[in-house]
Amino acid sequence: KVNISEMDVRVSKLATGATDDARRRTTVRDLAQTEIYRDVLTAALSEPAFHGIWLWGFTDRHTWVKNFYYDDAPLIFDKDYGRKASYGGVEAALRTLSPCSQISTKFLEVDYDEDGKGWGRNWMAPEPKEIKDGEKDTTKEGKPDWLQPT
């Protein structure tokens, strides 16, 4: 079986292009990220032995990248849980499976149950606390495993 495990697409180190305009920089990075997600998943879906794909998280709010490398937005949902352009790349790849291009894009309308209790409360960890300047980073002080003292 073929699996893609722990996928994220880091783009903040891409060149900004001929201009330093923030809108253009975002557009170039969004386009690159969208195409990478779409192309990798489309290729995987064409492989008969393909079994699954797992993203390393789903929202930029909780990405591991900022604690180990640098500030980036490598996932398909932004820090406010909104769909990014790269979500459309994943959706486009999934549409290659359906002759009518009809796939469900439904999401929960609310994130709480009929009693007002948060969805996933029994198994989800609480929101992590943002690390402020001067506070100790509890994730190995921002260093990847291979740079930790042994």
PDB file of all heavy atoms in Angstrom, residues 98 111 113:
ATOM      1  N   SER A  98     -14.547  11.343  -9.404  1.00  0.00           N
ATOM      2  CA  SER A  98     -15.973  11.300  -9.701  1.00  0.00           C
ATOM      3  C   SER A  98     -16.238  11.735 -11.129  1.00  0.00           C
ATOM      4  O   SER A  98     -15.866  12.847 -11.516  1.00  0.00           O
ATOM      5  CB  SER A  98     -16.721  12.228  -8.733  1.00  0.00           C
ATOM      6  OG  SER A  98     -18.070  12.328  -9.107  1.00  0.00           O
ATOM      7  N   ASP A 111     -20.184  23.988  16.014  1.00  0.00           N
ATOM      8  CA  ASP A 111     -19.207  23.092  16.624  1.00  0.00           C
ATOM      9  C   ASP A 111     -19.584  22.735  18.059  1.00  0.00           C
ATOM     10  O   ASP A 111     -18.735  22.560  18.911  1.00  0.00           O
ATOM     11  CB  ASP A 111     -17.797  23.657  16.533  1.00  0.00           C
ATOM     12  CG  ASP A 111     -17.656  24.990  17.237  1.00  0.00           C
ATOM     13  OD1 ASP A 111     -18.671  25.507  17.721  1.00  0.00           O
ATOM     14  OD2 ASP A 111     -16.529  25.495  17.295  1.00  0.00           O
ATOM     15  N   ASP A 113     -22.919  20.497  20.400  1.00  0.00           N
ATOM     16  CA  ASP A 113     -24.065  19.599  20.283  1.00  0.00           C
ATOM     17  C   ASP A 113     -25.347  20.270  20.774  1.00  0.00           C
ATOM     18  O   ASP A 113     -25.349  21.447  21.147  1.00  0.00           O
ATOM     19  CB  ASP A 113     -23.795  18.273  21.004  1.00  0.00           C
ATOM     20  CG  ASP A 113     -23.639  18.425  22.504  1.00  0.00           C
ATOM     21  OD1 ASP A 113     -24.031  19.468  23.066  1.00  0.00           O
ATOM     22  OD2 ASP A 113     -23.136  17.482  23.134  1.00  0.00           O
TER      23      ASP A 113
END
